[in-house]
Amino acid sequence: MLLARLTVVFVVGSFSPALWAEDLRRPQELAWFNNANAQLEALTQRPADCVVPLHNPKFNLGRLAFNSPRLLGGQAGRMGLSCASCHPSGRDNSDFFIEQISDKPGRADISHHFLSSHGGDAFFNPKPIPDLADVDNLRFKNRGDIEFDQLLTRLIEIEFDGQAPTAAVFYGLKLYLTQNSIENCQLPFQPVSRTLESDWLLIDDGLAALDDAIKAGDSATILFVSASMRAVLERFYRFYSINPVKSLDDRLLDMSRALESLLSNTIKSDKTAEQILVTLAELSTSLGKLKNDLRQREAQSFYNPKTAYDYLNPSN
Amino acid sequence: MNIKKTTNTETVFFSCLKMPLTSIAFICVVSLFSIASNSYASGGGGGGGGFSSPSQSAPRFDPVVKYQEGIAALQRGDNRTAEKAFRKVISVNKKHANSQYYLGLSLFGQEKFKKAKRPFEKALKYDNKLVSAHGYLGVVFQKTKKFEKADAQRQQLIELRESCGDCNNKVKIDNALLQIDGAKQQSLLPLDVSPERGDQLYVEAVSHINQGHYLAALVSLEESASVFGPHPDVLTYQGFANRKLGNKAKALEFYQAALNIDADHRGANEYLGEYYVEIGRLDLAQYQLKKLEKICSFGCEQADELRRWIAAAS
């Protein structure tokens, strides 16, 4: 692959930094597949949900955490992997392939030393990525069990080198994973479209979780949620990089900064929860407007299968 | 949950399926191939620039591109082009032992033996274990009738052979000794220079680092560097492993070499910040953190980790 690309560089005779700067903005999930069809499916489709959402902000927190690269550390965090990279919609991913931790698509060695600085083993032993909704009967039966807590802790802190999650994040994750069950699958039981709307759900999750954490004065969780929401904004920034519009890019960057300062306001200043909630409400309004404007350009983004297909198949 | 169902993806796939059999094979295979050579990434690394493996990000960095260009030229026997390419690489990173060695080789290939001497010597100055450089330097001395100096190279090779025990460099050392004696032509490129091998070595190195095996990591990194040239991901981990081994000055040199090639390299900026924390310069560490926050407009693990280091030291 590299040599092919270099050959192009030789023929053209010069190197174009601008081209590569653009490539750096491409969706990160392109790196987790070894063929164009799988990449196209990952950008534009996702498995059907087997989750009945709860009206509980901790559930929203859990779903956001499951999709957040900030939950993981080490190489996984640096690559932008989240639980959902391997378990999209809480399910499985039969196409996932990272050269050095997979032997075949759909399999990964999550105890590889490459990912883990304190839990890895010396063997290359990739396993199939299980469907966490238990379609393959692989699921730990009792999500309420202490054993399940231990498994979750090991996954986050040992296999994926993450920081210990806050109590609220941990509880939320369990809530999400408990709701994710074969009995709750939506029919028809086929992949559904991945869209701006379906990814934006995570921003709404973040807003609900922030509201809850601000009221609880839980600054560590506020920190995690705003960092996770910024990572979701980055996803839009990347998905819209194919036909970028500067004003939209700038607003995504502004929102990211606003979330960052919301965070520092909470931690540093002596503002009351009420005052911070006012700022949050303003932020929520701006985000709503941004979503509408992004929707206008969705056809030009990677969410549109035709646009994504053309990018992935440049010779056509 | 709002699930909208569009059929565009299906249209793409179905139109592929509806084609006559022969064209399916052709178009689908061609499109697969083009993606394999275009956007496909092994995704392993990201120790540095982001989410890619070193081979994927390689073309972003001029010195790495030049290095690969030099190797390709050497392989097809175009020594003049190779010479030019390696001189460019060296102008950015003069301490890259492999680049010095290959510059020596390209001059040697043009029978410019006197000129080849210095780059071979420099290669050995920066990495005395580069066996092939000892071999070629020995031959250069033979050809320029500096027999005592050729002997000195022979001696160094013998010492390397003794100190390496059962190491897998033994055959290489024997070949280099034979080469000095004029008995054997060494193949021009003894190393496996495929990018896949480079990525594999890089992943091996990171795995060693994660286990605290820093010396082993340095060996893999050096080999990876011989494939990629001065790649900032590799340089960053060379710095990291040296830092963990207590070689502070060397670590700093590697970090700076990485930043010289990519000022916004996330890993190099993070680890340089950690280095500052370690030497008690929290002001400089803070500066690195500010820089990372600017580079990562949407936040990143590298900034988070450095922030934790600074908080723990404050």
Side-chain angles (χ1 to χ4, degrees), chain A residues 1-6 9-10 13 15 17 20-21 23-28 30-37 39-41 44-46 48-49 51 53 63 69-70 72-75 77-80 97-100 112-118 121-122 161 163 186 188 190-195 197-198 201 223 227 230-231 233-234 237-238 249 252-253 256-257 260 295 298 304-306 309 311-316, chain B residues 1-10 12-13 15-16 19 27-28 30-62 64-66 68-70 72-73 76 193-196 199-213 227-228 237 262 266-267 270-271 274 293 296-302 304-308:
Chain A
M1 61 192 142
L2 171 79
L3 287 180
R5 196 146 210 181
L6 281 177
V9 174
F10 294 155
F15 155 86
W20 283 96
D23 265 22
L24 279 179
R25 265 192 68 179
R26 295 309 183 218
Q28 291 179 299
L30 290 177
W32 309 324
F33 302 93
N34 67 354
N35 67 75
N37 282 349
Q39 285 174 316
L40 181 61
E41 281 184 27
T44 58
Q45 296 185 2
R46 58 200 192 86
D49 282 290
V51 176
R63 182 163 56 187
R70 295 285 88 81
L72 311 182
Q75 291 298 319
R78 283 167 172 76
M79 263 188 261
F97 186 90
I98 288 183
E99 186 93 32
Q100 314 297 344
H112 197 292
H113 277 309
F114 178 65
L115 293 173
S116 180
S117 65
H118 38 306
D121 59 43
D161 266 358
Q163 297 295 302
Q186 293 173 11
Q190 292 164 354
V192 292
S193 292
R194 182 179 178 183
T195 58
E197 189 74 35
S198 65
L201 203 68
L223 201 139
R230 293 175 72 200
L233 292 175
E234 175 168 12
Y237 186 75
R238 291 177 180 279
D249 284 354
L252 282 163
L253 289 163
S256 173
R257 266 177 236 120
E260 196 185 14
R295 198 185 278 131
E298 189 167 0
N304 180 353
K306 171 84 177 70
Y309 180 88
Y311 170 78
L312 294 170
N313 299 278
S315 54
N316 289 2
Chain B
M1 199 169 296
N2 190 346
I3 298 165
K4 234 171 37 187
K5 192 148 176 56
T6 61
T7 52
N8 287 4
T9 325
E10 286 157 17
V12 170
F13 289 124
S15 61
C16 207
M19 290 174 205
I27 297 182
C28 296
V30 166
S31 53
L32 256 173
F33 177 77
S34 66
I35 184 63
S37 62
N38 189 8
S39 319
Y40 162 51
S42 60
F51 60 91
S52 60
S53 59
S55 73
Q56 200 212 0
S57 57
R60 279 174 45 216
F61 307 115
D62 269 336
V64 181
V65 172
K66 279 281 164 232
Q68 309 263 359
E69 220 175 280
R76 58 173 193 269
V193 289
S194 74
E196 288 77 14
D199 283 345
Q200 203 182 340
L201 286 160
Y202 174 81
V203 170
E204 243 173 64
V206 176
S207 306
H208 284 312
I209 283 178
N210 273 339
Q211 296 167 80
H213 302 159
V227 175
F228 291 123
Y237 275 121
D262 179 8
R266 294 179 178 193
E270 173 197 350
Y271 296 136
E274 291 180 8
E293 281 169 346
C296 305
S297 327
F298 296 95
C300 61
E301 169 65 15
Q302 288 84 351
D304 290 352
E305 181 69 12
L306 180 56
R307 198 175 299 112
R308 285 191 285 269

Side-chain angles (χ1 to χ4, degrees), chain B residues 136-166:
Chain B
Y136 274 101
L137 186 57
V139 175
V140 164
F141 286 136
Q142 291 279 37
K143 294 214 183 255
T144 51
K145 308 217 177 330
K146 304 259 167 39
F147 299 116
E148 272 175 27
K149 288 192 166 170
D151 259 353
Q153 288 308 312
R154 234 187 237 113
Q155 198 49 43
Q156 289 199 34
L157 280 167
I158 291 168
E159 278 164 23
L160 275 178
R161 194 178 194 283
E162 276 165 10
S163 65
C164 98
D166 283 335

Side-chain angles (χ1 to χ4, degrees), chain B residues 55-109:
Chain B
S55 73
Q56 200 212 0
S57 57
R60 279 174 45 216
F61 307 115
D62 269 336
V64 181
V65 172
K66 279 281 164 232
Y67 183 89
Q68 309 263 359
E69 220 175 280
I71 293 217
L74 271 183
Q75 275 169 329
R76 58 173 193 269
D78 182 355
N79 291 309
R80 291 183 69 126
T81 305
E83 180 193 336
K84 269 198 204 151
F86 290 116
R87 285 200 191 284
K88 275 245 161 82
V89 181
I90 287 166
S91 71
V92 181
N93 186 340
K94 70 174 197 289
K95 294 190 178 174
H96 194 257
N98 277 294
S99 301
Q100 294 282 4
Y101 167 62
Y102 286 130
L103 172 62
L105 269 192
S106 51
L107 292 162
F108 188 96

